[in-house]
Amino acid sequence: MDDQGCGPGPRPQGGERPAEEKSAPPQPAPLPYEGVWRFTAPAVDASVPQARHAVRELLLRQGVPVADEVVQGLLLIVSELVTNAVRHAALLSPMLAVEVAVGAEWVRVSVEDNHPYRPTALEADHGRTGGRGLLLVREITREANGMCDVEHTASGGKVIWAAVPLKPAQG
């Protein structure tokens, strides 16, 4: 996997800030573990464990204060999203990108490919042995009080992302 470097910080949530907020005082400096990292990999089966390992090592190396159960959920999400890109997008997208964005209280993982098809999480069909990856991603994210979505990219592909709090949901 190629490490494409570290961005200046997590992506902001929402759109443009209201005019009265634009003149607000500057935000405090980011915490040492905050940032955005992007890795690219070929859309092949071997990239699934490599992506999972890269995300785990990144979280450890940066000292992200994330609960172990949250890490396990994130790694499962990464596995499912990379697997989907390999299985369903490789023909039109021989490369995929994994992005990890860490904020003060949350972490977001995403997988981007250049295939135009935008998948939807279908209802579980208990007669099928596969096709539940996005349902699993949605469920893990929901249980963690997070969010997930699929978005189109400017290049005509898609990015599927999931964002969860660093601390486990209080149940």
PDB file of all heavy atoms in Angstrom, residues 94-134:
ATOM      1  N   PRO A  94      -9.094  -0.489 -11.032  1.00  0.00           N
ATOM      2  CA  PRO A  94      -8.026  -1.390 -10.603  1.00  0.00           C
ATOM      3  C   PRO A  94      -7.301  -0.927  -9.331  1.00  0.00           C
ATOM      4  O   PRO A  94      -6.580  -1.701  -8.714  1.00  0.00           O
ATOM      5  CB  PRO A  94      -7.072  -1.426 -11.793  1.00  0.00           C
ATOM      6  CG  PRO A  94      -7.384  -0.210 -12.588  1.00  0.00           C
ATOM      7  CD  PRO A  94      -8.820   0.129 -12.323  1.00  0.00           C
ATOM      8  N   MET A  95      -7.516   0.304  -8.922  1.00  0.00           N
ATOM      9  CA  MET A  95      -6.935   0.821  -7.679  1.00  0.00           C
ATOM     10  C   MET A  95      -8.075   1.322  -6.788  1.00  0.00           C
ATOM     11  O   MET A  95      -9.095   1.788  -7.275  1.00  0.00           O
ATOM     12  CB  MET A  95      -5.969   1.984  -7.941  1.00  0.00           C
ATOM     13  CG  MET A  95      -4.721   1.590  -8.711  1.00  0.00           C
ATOM     14  SD  MET A  95      -3.650   0.427  -7.836  1.00  0.00           S
ATOM     15  CE  MET A  95      -3.000   1.462  -6.536  1.00  0.00           C
ATOM     16  N   LEU A  96      -7.849   1.232  -5.478  1.00  0.00           N
ATOM     17  CA  LEU A  96      -8.798   1.775  -4.517  1.00  0.00           C
ATOM     18  C   LEU A  96      -8.019   2.607  -3.511  1.00  0.00           C
ATOM     19  O   LEU A  96      -6.798   2.514  -3.437  1.00  0.00           O
ATOM     20  CB  LEU A  96      -9.594   0.653  -3.829  1.00  0.00           C
ATOM     21  CG  LEU A  96      -8.797  -0.406  -3.073  1.00  0.00           C
ATOM     22  CD1 LEU A  96      -8.605  -0.024  -1.614  1.00  0.00           C
ATOM     23  CD2 LEU A  96      -9.524  -1.730  -3.167  1.00  0.00           C
ATOM     24  N   ALA A  97      -8.724   3.428  -2.772  1.00  0.00           N
ATOM     25  CA  ALA A  97      -8.079   4.261  -1.754  1.00  0.00           C
ATOM     26  C   ALA A  97      -8.799   4.059  -0.432  1.00  0.00           C
ATOM     27  O   ALA A  97     -10.028   3.980  -0.389  1.00  0.00           O
ATOM     28  CB  ALA A  97      -8.132   5.733  -2.156  1.00  0.00           C
ATOM     29  N   VAL A  98      -8.009   3.956   0.625  1.00  0.00           N
ATOM     30  CA  VAL A  98      -8.535   3.875   1.985  1.00  0.00           C
ATOM     31  C   VAL A  98      -8.101   5.150   2.685  1.00  0.00           C
ATOM     32  O   VAL A  98      -6.936   5.521   2.642  1.00  0.00           O
ATOM     33  CB  VAL A  98      -7.980   2.642   2.735  1.00  0.00           C
ATOM     34  CG1 VAL A  98      -8.482   2.619   4.175  1.00  0.00           C
ATOM     35  CG2 VAL A  98      -8.342   1.361   2.011  1.00  0.00           C
ATOM     36  N   GLU A  99      -9.063   5.817   3.304  1.00  0.00           N
ATOM     37  CA  GLU A  99      -8.754   7.046   4.027  1.00  0.00           C
ATOM     38  C   GLU A  99      -9.183   6.896   5.478  1.00  0.00           C
ATOM     39  O   GLU A  99     -10.241   6.347   5.768  1.00  0.00           O
ATOM     40  CB  GLU A  99      -9.477   8.234   3.390  1.00  0.00           C
ATOM     41  CG  GLU A  99      -9.096   9.560   4.011  1.00  0.00           C
ATOM     42  CD  GLU A  99      -9.712  10.727   3.273  1.00  0.00           C
ATOM     43  OE1 GLU A  99      -9.151  11.128   2.230  1.00  0.00           O
ATOM     44  OE2 GLU A  99     -10.755  11.217   3.728  1.00  0.00           O
ATOM     45  N   VAL A 100      -8.343   7.379   6.380  1.00  0.00           N
ATOM     46  CA  VAL A 100      -8.640   7.399   7.803  1.00  0.00           C
ATOM     47  C   VAL A 100      -8.534   8.851   8.251  1.00  0.00           C
ATOM     48  O   VAL A 100      -7.499   9.488   8.068  1.00  0.00           O
ATOM     49  CB  VAL A 100      -7.643   6.532   8.612  1.00  0.00           C
ATOM     50  CG1 VAL A 100      -7.986   6.565  10.095  1.00  0.00           C
ATOM     51  CG2 VAL A 100      -7.616   5.111   8.089  1.00  0.00           C
ATOM     52  N   ALA A 101      -9.627   9.380   8.796  1.00  0.00           N
ATOM     53  CA  ALA A 101      -9.638  10.746   9.319  1.00  0.00           C
ATOM     54  C   ALA A 101      -9.948  10.655  10.818  1.00  0.00           C
ATOM     55  O   ALA A 101     -10.936  10.036  11.200  1.00  0.00           O
ATOM     56  CB  ALA A 101     -10.696  11.587   8.604  1.00  0.00           C
ATOM     57  N   VAL A 102      -9.084  11.254  11.618  1.00  0.00           N
ATOM     58  CA  VAL A 102      -9.254  11.194  13.068  1.00  0.00           C
ATOM     59  C   VAL A 102      -9.440  12.596  13.605  1.00  0.00           C
ATOM     60  O   VAL A 102      -8.624  13.484  13.354  1.00  0.00           O
ATOM     61  CB  VAL A 102      -8.035  10.530  13.752  1.00  0.00           C
ATOM     62  CG1 VAL A 102      -8.264  10.437  15.256  1.00  0.00           C
ATOM     63  CG2 VAL A 102      -7.751   9.162  13.162  1.00  0.00           C
ATOM     64  N   GLY A 103     -10.533  12.794  14.326  1.00  0.00           N
ATOM     65  CA  GLY A 103     -10.811  14.051  14.989  1.00  0.00           C
ATOM     66  C   GLY A 103     -10.600  13.902  16.487  1.00  0.00           C
ATOM     67  O   GLY A 103     -10.172  12.848  16.974  1.00  0.00           O
ATOM     68  N   ALA A 104     -10.918  14.925  17.231  1.00  0.00           N
ATOM     69  CA  ALA A 104     -10.732  14.902  18.679  1.00  0.00           C
ATOM     70  C   ALA A 104     -11.575  13.827  19.352  1.00  0.00           C
ATOM     71  O   ALA A 104     -11.154  13.235  20.342  1.00  0.00           O
ATOM     72  CB  ALA A 104     -11.071  16.270  19.265  1.00  0.00           C
ATOM     73  N   GLU A 105     -12.766  13.550  18.791  1.00  0.00           N
ATOM     74  CA  GLU A 105     -13.671  12.607  19.447  1.00  0.00           C
ATOM     75  C   GLU A 105     -14.240  11.544  18.518  1.00  0.00           C
ATOM     76  O   GLU A 105     -15.127  10.801  18.907  1.00  0.00           O
ATOM     77  CB  GLU A 105     -14.821  13.386  20.093  1.00  0.00           C
ATOM     78  CG  GLU A 105     -14.343  14.326  21.177  1.00  0.00           C
ATOM     79  CD  GLU A 105     -15.470  15.132  21.801  1.00  0.00           C
ATOM     80  OE1 GLU A 105     -16.631  14.979  21.384  1.00  0.00           O
ATOM     81  OE2 GLU A 105     -15.174  15.910  22.713  1.00  0.00           O
ATOM     82  N   TRP A 106     -13.753  11.459  17.285  1.00  0.00           N
ATOM     83  CA  TRP A 106     -14.319  10.519  16.333  1.00  0.00           C
ATOM     84  C   TRP A 106     -13.257  10.037  15.360  1.00  0.00           C
ATOM     85  O   TRP A 106     -12.183  10.633  15.242  1.00  0.00           O
ATOM     86  CB  TRP A 106     -15.467  11.149  15.552  1.00  0.00           C
ATOM     87  CG  TRP A 106     -15.070  12.436  14.880  1.00  0.00           C
ATOM     88  CD1 TRP A 106     -15.137  13.686  15.409  1.00  0.00           C
ATOM     89  CD2 TRP A 106     -14.488  12.587  13.583  1.00  0.00           C
ATOM     90  NE1 TRP A 106     -14.648  14.609  14.516  1.00  0.00           N
ATOM     91  CE2 TRP A 106     -14.237  13.957  13.384  1.00  0.00           C
ATOM     92  CE3 TRP A 106     -14.161  11.707  12.578  1.00  0.00           C
ATOM     93  CZ2 TRP A 106     -13.666  14.459  12.219  1.00  0.00           C
ATOM     94  CZ3 TRP A 106     -13.589  12.207  11.414  1.00  0.00           C
ATOM     95  CH2 TRP A 106     -13.365  13.574  11.248  1.00  0.00           C
ATOM     96  N   VAL A 107     -13.554   8.960  14.651  1.00  0.00           N
ATOM     97  CA  VAL A 107     -12.694   8.457  13.579  1.00  0.00           C
ATOM     98  C   VAL A 107     -13.596   8.059  12.413  1.00  0.00           C
ATOM     99  O   VAL A 107     -14.690   7.545  12.610  1.00  0.00           O
ATOM    100  CB  VAL A 107     -11.800   7.286  14.046  1.00  0.00           C
ATOM    101  CG1 VAL A 107     -12.618   6.107  14.503  1.00  0.00           C
ATOM    102  CG2 VAL A 107     -10.815   6.865  12.968  1.00  0.00           C
ATOM    103  N   ARG A 108     -13.116   8.359  11.220  1.00  0.00           N
ATOM    104  CA  ARG A 108     -13.869   8.052  10.007  1.00  0.00           C
ATOM    105  C   ARG A 108     -12.968   7.237   9.085  1.00  0.00           C
ATOM    106  O   ARG A 108     -11.819   7.610   8.855  1.00  0.00           O
ATOM    107  CB  ARG A 108     -14.273   9.350   9.313  1.00  0.00           C
ATOM    108  CG  ARG A 108     -14.914   9.143   7.956  1.00  0.00           C
ATOM    109  CD  ARG A 108     -15.205  10.470   7.299  1.00  0.00           C
ATOM    110  NE  ARG A 108     -15.379  10.249   5.870  1.00  0.00           N
ATOM    111  CZ  ARG A 108     -15.959  11.101   5.065  1.00  0.00           C
ATOM    112  NH1 ARG A 108     -16.409  12.242   5.508  1.00  0.00           N
ATOM    113  NH2 ARG A 108     -16.083  10.824   3.792  1.00  0.00           N
ATOM    114  N   VAL A 109     -13.495   6.118   8.588  1.00  0.00           N
ATOM    115  CA  VAL A 109     -12.785   5.334   7.583  1.00  0.00           C
ATOM    116  C   VAL A 109     -13.610   5.353   6.310  1.00  0.00           C
ATOM    117  O   VAL A 109     -14.842   5.358   6.364  1.00  0.00           O
ATOM    118  CB  VAL A 109     -12.519   3.878   8.045  1.00  0.00           C
ATOM    119  CG1 VAL A 109     -11.552   3.856   9.213  1.00  0.00           C
ATOM    120  CG2 VAL A 109     -13.795   3.151   8.391  1.00  0.00           C
ATOM    121  N   SER A 110     -12.925   5.403   5.184  1.00  0.00           N
ATOM    122  CA  SER A 110     -13.644   5.386   3.912  1.00  0.00           C
ATOM    123  C   SER A 110     -12.843   4.615   2.880  1.00  0.00           C
ATOM    124  O   SER A 110     -11.620   4.516   2.969  1.00  0.00           O
ATOM    125  CB  SER A 110     -13.928   6.810   3.423  1.00  0.00           C
ATOM    126  OG  SER A 110     -12.727   7.508   3.189  1.00  0.00           O
ATOM    127  N   VAL A 111     -13.561   4.071   1.914  1.00  0.00           N
ATOM    128  CA  VAL A 111     -12.944   3.380   0.786  1.00  0.00           C
ATOM    129  C   VAL A 111     -13.525   3.992  -0.480  1.00  0.00           C
ATOM    130  O   VAL A 111     -14.738   4.112  -0.623  1.00  0.00           O
ATOM    131  CB  VAL A 111     -13.196   1.856   0.845  1.00  0.00           C
ATOM    132  CG1 VAL A 111     -12.670   1.181  -0.419  1.00  0.00           C
ATOM    133  CG2 VAL A 111     -12.537   1.264   2.093  1.00  0.00           C
ATOM    134  N   GLU A 112     -12.631   4.373  -1.372  1.00  0.00           N
ATOM    135  CA  GLU A 112     -13.024   5.020  -2.621  1.00  0.00           C
ATOM    136  C   GLU A 112     -12.585   4.178  -3.806  1.00  0.00           C
ATOM    137  O   GLU A 112     -11.484   3.619  -3.800  1.00  0.00           O
ATOM    138  CB  GLU A 112     -12.371   6.399  -2.709  1.00  0.00           C
ATOM    139  CG  GLU A 112     -12.707   7.175  -3.953  1.00  0.00           C
ATOM    140  CD  GLU A 112     -12.059   8.546  -3.978  1.00  0.00           C
ATOM    141  OE1 GLU A 112     -11.674   9.063  -2.919  1.00  0.00           O
ATOM    142  OE2 GLU A 112     -11.948   9.095  -5.086  1.00  0.00           O
ATOM    143  N   ASP A 113     -13.458   4.076  -4.799  1.00  0.00           N
ATOM    144  CA  ASP A 113     -13.099   3.419  -6.051  1.00  0.00           C
ATOM    145  C   ASP A 113     -13.687   4.232  -7.198  1.00  0.00           C
ATOM    146  O   ASP A 113     -14.443   5.170  -6.980  1.00  0.00           O
ATOM    147  CB  ASP A 113     -13.559   1.952  -6.081  1.00  0.00           C
ATOM    148  CG  ASP A 113     -15.067   1.790  -6.021  1.00  0.00           C
ATOM    149  OD1 ASP A 113     -15.776   2.339  -6.897  1.00  0.00           O
ATOM    150  OD2 ASP A 113     -15.558   1.110  -5.099  1.00  0.00           O
ATOM    151  N   ASN A 114     -13.320   3.871  -8.406  1.00  0.00           N
ATOM    152  CA  ASN A 114     -13.768   4.632  -9.581  1.00  0.00           C
ATOM    153  C   ASN A 114     -14.946   4.004 -10.307  1.00  0.00           C
ATOM    154  O   ASN A 114     -15.276   4.408 -11.416  1.00  0.00           O
ATOM    155  CB  ASN A 114     -12.604   4.824 -10.558  1.00  0.00           C
ATOM    156  CG  ASN A 114     -11.582   5.782 -10.009  1.00  0.00           C
ATOM    157  OD1 ASN A 114     -11.935   6.784  -9.374  1.00  0.00           O
ATOM    158  ND2 ASN A 114     -10.319   5.476 -10.207  1.00  0.00           N
ATOM    159  N   HIS A 115     -15.583   3.017  -9.701  1.00  0.00           N
ATOM    160  CA  HIS A 115     -16.746   2.387 -10.318  1.00  0.00           C
ATOM    161  C   HIS A 115     -17.974   3.266 -10.048  1.00  0.00           C
ATOM    162  O   HIS A 115     -18.192   3.689  -8.917  1.00  0.00           O
ATOM    163  CB  HIS A 115     -16.965   0.990  -9.745  1.00  0.00           C
ATOM    164  CG  HIS A 115     -17.875   0.152 -10.574  1.00  0.00           C
ATOM    165  ND1 HIS A 115     -19.231   0.390 -10.671  1.00  0.00           N
ATOM    166  CD2 HIS A 115     -17.625  -0.927 -11.354  1.00  0.00           C
ATOM    167  CE1 HIS A 115     -19.767  -0.510 -11.465  1.00  0.00           C
ATOM    168  NE2 HIS A 115     -18.827  -1.324 -11.897  1.00  0.00           N
ATOM    169  N   PRO A 116     -18.801   3.543 -11.050  1.00  0.00           N
ATOM    170  CA  PRO A 116     -19.930   4.451 -10.848  1.00  0.00           C
ATOM    171  C   PRO A 116     -21.104   3.870 -10.073  1.00  0.00           C
ATOM    172  O   PRO A 116     -21.938   4.615  -9.562  1.00  0.00           O
ATOM    173  CB  PRO A 116     -20.372   4.790 -12.278  1.00  0.00           C
ATOM    174  CG  PRO A 116     -19.922   3.630 -13.093  1.00  0.00           C
ATOM    175  CD  PRO A 116     -18.650   3.132 -12.447  1.00  0.00           C
ATOM    176  N   TYR A 117     -21.194   2.547  -9.958  1.00  0.00           N
ATOM    177  CA  TYR A 117     -22.337   1.939  -9.271  1.00  0.00           C
ATOM    178  C   TYR A 117     -22.339   2.316  -7.798  1.00  0.00           C
ATOM    179  O   TYR A 117     -21.343   2.164  -7.102  1.00  0.00           O
ATOM    180  CB  TYR A 117     -22.295   0.420  -9.424  1.00  0.00           C
ATOM    181  CG  TYR A 117     -23.357  -0.287  -8.618  1.00  0.00           C
ATOM    182  CD1 TYR A 117     -24.698  -0.188  -8.960  1.00  0.00           C
ATOM    183  CD2 TYR A 117     -23.022  -1.022  -7.490  1.00  0.00           C
ATOM    184  CE1 TYR A 117     -25.675  -0.818  -8.218  1.00  0.00           C
ATOM    185  CE2 TYR A 117     -23.991  -1.661  -6.741  1.00  0.00           C
ATOM    186  CZ  TYR A 117     -25.317  -1.556  -7.105  1.00  0.00           C
ATOM    187  OH  TYR A 117     -26.273  -2.172  -6.355  1.00  0.00           O
ATOM    188  N   ARG A 118     -23.467   2.811  -7.339  1.00  0.00           N
ATOM    189  CA  ARG A 118     -23.618   3.182  -5.929  1.00  0.00           C
ATOM    190  C   ARG A 118     -24.448   2.107  -5.241  1.00  0.00           C
ATOM    191  O   ARG A 118     -25.661   2.015  -5.459  1.00  0.00           O
ATOM    192  CB  ARG A 118     -24.303   4.541  -5.818  1.00  0.00           C
ATOM    193  CG  ARG A 118     -24.483   4.991  -4.399  1.00  0.00           C
ATOM    194  CD  ARG A 118     -25.175   6.330  -4.346  1.00  0.00           C
ATOM    195  NE  ARG A 118     -25.544   6.605  -2.970  1.00  0.00           N
ATOM    196  CZ  ARG A 118     -25.720   7.800  -2.490  1.00  0.00           C
ATOM    197  NH1 ARG A 118     -25.587   8.840  -3.267  1.00  0.00           N
ATOM    198  NH2 ARG A 118     -26.045   7.964  -1.242  1.00  0.00           N
ATOM    199  N   PRO A 119     -23.823   1.282  -4.398  1.00  0.00           N
ATOM    200  CA  PRO A 119     -24.559   0.190  -3.765  1.00  0.00           C
ATOM    201  C   PRO A 119     -25.525   0.699  -2.704  1.00  0.00           C
ATOM    202  O   PRO A 119     -25.376   1.786  -2.170  1.00  0.00           O
ATOM    203  CB  PRO A 119     -23.457  -0.648  -3.116  1.00  0.00           C
ATOM    204  CG  PRO A 119     -22.384   0.336  -2.832  1.00  0.00           C
ATOM    205  CD  PRO A 119     -22.446   1.339  -3.958  1.00  0.00           C
ATOM    206  N   THR A 120     -26.505  -0.128  -2.432  1.00  0.00           N
ATOM    207  CA  THR A 120     -27.427   0.159  -1.337  1.00  0.00           C
ATOM    208  C   THR A 120     -27.445  -1.052  -0.425  1.00  0.00           C
ATOM    209  O   THR A 120     -27.279  -2.186  -0.876  1.00  0.00           O
ATOM    210  CB  THR A 120     -28.857   0.428  -1.852  1.00  0.00           C
ATOM    211  OG1 THR A 120     -29.275  -0.706  -2.610  1.00  0.00           O
ATOM    212  CG2 THR A 120     -28.911   1.672  -2.699  1.00  0.00           C
ATOM    213  N   ALA A 121     -27.613  -0.829   0.853  1.00  0.00           N
ATOM    214  CA  ALA A 121     -27.709  -1.930   1.807  1.00  0.00           C
ATOM    215  C   ALA A 121     -29.113  -2.507   1.703  1.00  0.00           C
ATOM    216  O   ALA A 121     -30.088  -1.861   2.071  1.00  0.00           O
ATOM    217  CB  ALA A 121     -27.418  -1.450   3.218  1.00  0.00           C
ATOM    218  N   LEU A 122     -29.210  -3.692   1.150  1.00  0.00           N
ATOM    219  CA  LEU A 122     -30.500  -4.331   0.961  1.00  0.00           C
ATOM    220  C   LEU A 122     -30.910  -5.054   2.239  1.00  0.00           C
ATOM    221  O   LEU A 122     -30.108  -5.298   3.116  1.00  0.00           O
ATOM    222  CB  LEU A 122     -30.424  -5.321  -0.199  1.00  0.00           C
ATOM    223  CG  LEU A 122     -29.964  -4.733  -1.532  1.00  0.00           C
ATOM    224  CD1 LEU A 122     -29.798  -5.830  -2.560  1.00  0.00           C
ATOM    225  CD2 LEU A 122     -30.962  -3.691  -2.007  1.00  0.00           C
ATOM    226  N   GLU A 123     -32.174  -5.388   2.323  1.00  0.00           N
ATOM    227  CA  GLU A 123     -32.649  -6.178   3.457  1.00  0.00           C
ATOM    228  C   GLU A 123     -31.978  -7.546   3.410  1.00  0.00           C
ATOM    229  O   GLU A 123     -31.708  -8.074   2.348  1.00  0.00           O
ATOM    230  CB  GLU A 123     -34.169  -6.338   3.400  1.00  0.00           C
ATOM    231  CG  GLU A 123     -34.923  -5.047   3.591  1.00  0.00           C
ATOM    232  CD  GLU A 123     -34.649  -4.402   4.937  1.00  0.00           C
ATOM    233  OE1 GLU A 123     -34.605  -5.125   5.960  1.00  0.00           O
ATOM    234  OE2 GLU A 123     -34.459  -3.184   4.964  1.00  0.00           O
ATOM    235  N   ALA A 124     -31.713  -8.092   4.567  1.00  0.00           N
ATOM    236  CA  ALA A 124     -31.044  -9.390   4.648  1.00  0.00           C
ATOM    237  C   ALA A 124     -31.918 -10.480   4.031  1.00  0.00           C
ATOM    238  O   ALA A 124     -33.099 -10.568   4.306  1.00  0.00           O
ATOM    239  CB  ALA A 124     -30.743  -9.732   6.097  1.00  0.00           C
ATOM    240  N   ASP A 125     -31.305 -11.278   3.187  1.00  0.00           N
ATOM    241  CA  ASP A 125     -31.956 -12.446   2.617  1.00  0.00           C
ATOM    242  C   ASP A 125     -31.269 -13.643   3.251  1.00  0.00           C
ATOM    243  O   ASP A 125     -30.127 -13.964   2.924  1.00  0.00           O
ATOM    244  CB  ASP A 125     -31.780 -12.446   1.095  1.00  0.00           C
ATOM    245  CG  ASP A 125     -32.380 -13.679   0.428  1.00  0.00           C
ATOM    246  OD1 ASP A 125     -32.796 -14.616   1.148  1.00  0.00           O
ATOM    247  OD2 ASP A 125     -32.411 -13.704  -0.808  1.00  0.00           O
ATOM    248  N   HIS A 126     -31.933 -14.283   4.183  1.00  0.00           N
ATOM    249  CA  HIS A 126     -31.315 -15.348   4.958  1.00  0.00           C
ATOM    250  C   HIS A 126     -30.982 -16.566   4.113  1.00  0.00           C
ATOM    251  O   HIS A 126     -30.234 -17.426   4.546  1.00  0.00           O
ATOM    252  CB  HIS A 126     -32.200 -15.720   6.148  1.00  0.00           C
ATOM    253  CG  HIS A 126     -32.392 -14.567   7.078  1.00  0.00           C
ATOM    254  ND1 HIS A 126     -31.380 -14.083   7.869  1.00  0.00           N
ATOM    255  CD2 HIS A 126     -33.461 -13.767   7.310  1.00  0.00           C
ATOM    256  CE1 HIS A 126     -31.816 -13.048   8.568  1.00  0.00           C
ATOM    257  NE2 HIS A 126     -33.082 -12.837   8.239  1.00  0.00           N
ATOM    258  N   GLY A 127     -31.493 -16.658   2.899  1.00  0.00           N
ATOM    259  CA  GLY A 127     -31.183 -17.747   2.000  1.00  0.00           C
ATOM    260  C   GLY A 127     -29.864 -17.546   1.259  1.00  0.00           C
ATOM    261  O   GLY A 127     -29.304 -18.486   0.709  1.00  0.00           O
ATOM    262  N   ARG A 128     -29.345 -16.319   1.249  1.00  0.00           N
ATOM    263  CA  ARG A 128     -28.087 -16.012   0.558  1.00  0.00           C
ATOM    264  C   ARG A 128     -26.921 -16.155   1.508  1.00  0.00           C
ATOM    265  O   ARG A 128     -27.023 -15.873   2.691  1.00  0.00           O
ATOM    266  CB  ARG A 128     -28.118 -14.585   0.010  1.00  0.00           C
ATOM    267  CG  ARG A 128     -29.110 -14.409  -1.114  1.00  0.00           C
ATOM    268  CD  ARG A 128     -29.159 -13.008  -1.626  1.00  0.00           C
ATOM    269  NE  ARG A 128     -27.817 -12.521  -1.949  1.00  0.00           N
ATOM    270  CZ  ARG A 128     -27.563 -11.257  -2.245  1.00  0.00           C
ATOM    271  NH1 ARG A 128     -28.515 -10.377  -2.254  1.00  0.00           N
ATOM    272  NH2 ARG A 128     -26.338 -10.884  -2.531  1.00  0.00           N
ATOM    273  N   THR A 129     -25.778 -16.560   0.978  1.00  0.00           N
ATOM    274  CA  THR A 129     -24.585 -16.700   1.809  1.00  0.00           C
ATOM    275  C   THR A 129     -23.732 -15.434   1.779  1.00  0.00           C
ATOM    276  O   THR A 129     -22.810 -15.302   2.570  1.00  0.00           O
ATOM    277  CB  THR A 129     -23.724 -17.886   1.330  1.00  0.00           C
ATOM    278  OG1 THR A 129     -23.375 -17.671  -0.039  1.00  0.00           O
ATOM    279  CG2 THR A 129     -24.472 -19.188   1.503  1.00  0.00           C
ATOM    280  N   GLY A 130     -24.000 -14.526   0.893  1.00  0.00           N
ATOM    281  CA  GLY A 130     -23.208 -13.302   0.804  1.00  0.00           C
ATOM    282  C   GLY A 130     -24.115 -12.104   0.675  1.00  0.00           C
ATOM    283  O   GLY A 130     -25.329 -12.186   0.837  1.00  0.00           O
ATOM    284  N   GLY A 131     -23.496 -10.948   0.374  1.00  0.00           N
ATOM    285  CA  GLY A 131     -24.280  -9.755   0.122  1.00  0.00           C
ATOM    286  C   GLY A 131     -24.742  -9.017   1.359  1.00  0.00           C
ATOM    287  O   GLY A 131     -25.643  -8.191   1.290  1.00  0.00           O
ATOM    288  N   ARG A 132     -24.130  -9.304   2.500  1.00  0.00           N
ATOM    289  CA  ARG A 132     -24.543  -8.635   3.739  1.00  0.00           C
ATOM    290  C   ARG A 132     -23.514  -7.638   4.248  1.00  0.00           C
ATOM    291  O   ARG A 132     -23.647  -7.125   5.342  1.00  0.00           O
ATOM    292  CB  ARG A 132     -24.824  -9.677   4.815  1.00  0.00           C
ATOM    293  CG  ARG A 132     -25.971 -10.586   4.472  1.00  0.00           C
ATOM    294  CD  ARG A 132     -26.331 -11.465   5.657  1.00  0.00           C
ATOM    295  NE  ARG A 132     -27.396 -12.368   5.286  1.00  0.00           N
ATOM    296  CZ  ARG A 132     -27.273 -13.681   5.207  1.00  0.00           C
ATOM    297  NH1 ARG A 132     -26.132 -14.249   5.496  1.00  0.00           N
ATOM    298  NH2 ARG A 132     -28.290 -14.426   4.860  1.00  0.00           N
ATOM    299  N   GLY A 133     -22.476  -7.382   3.463  1.00  0.00           N
ATOM    300  CA  GLY A 133     -21.387  -6.514   3.911  1.00  0.00           C
ATOM    301  C   GLY A 133     -21.826  -5.122   4.321  1.00  0.00           C
ATOM    302  O   GLY A 133     -21.471  -4.636   5.390  1.00  0.00           O
ATOM    303  N   LEU A 134     -22.623  -4.475   3.478  1.00  0.00           N
ATOM    304  CA  LEU A 134     -23.059  -3.124   3.815  1.00  0.00           C
ATOM    305  C   LEU A 134     -24.057  -3.113   4.964  1.00  0.00           C
ATOM    306  O   LEU A 134     -24.099  -2.157   5.741  1.00  0.00           O
ATOM    307  CB  LEU A 134     -23.638  -2.418   2.591  1.00  0.00           C
ATOM    308  CG  LEU A 134     -22.608  -2.020   1.540  1.00  0.00           C
ATOM    309  CD1 LEU A 134     -23.287  -1.351   0.359  1.00  0.00           C
ATOM    310  CD2 LEU A 134     -21.532  -1.133   2.116  1.00  0.00           C
TER     311      LEU A 134
END
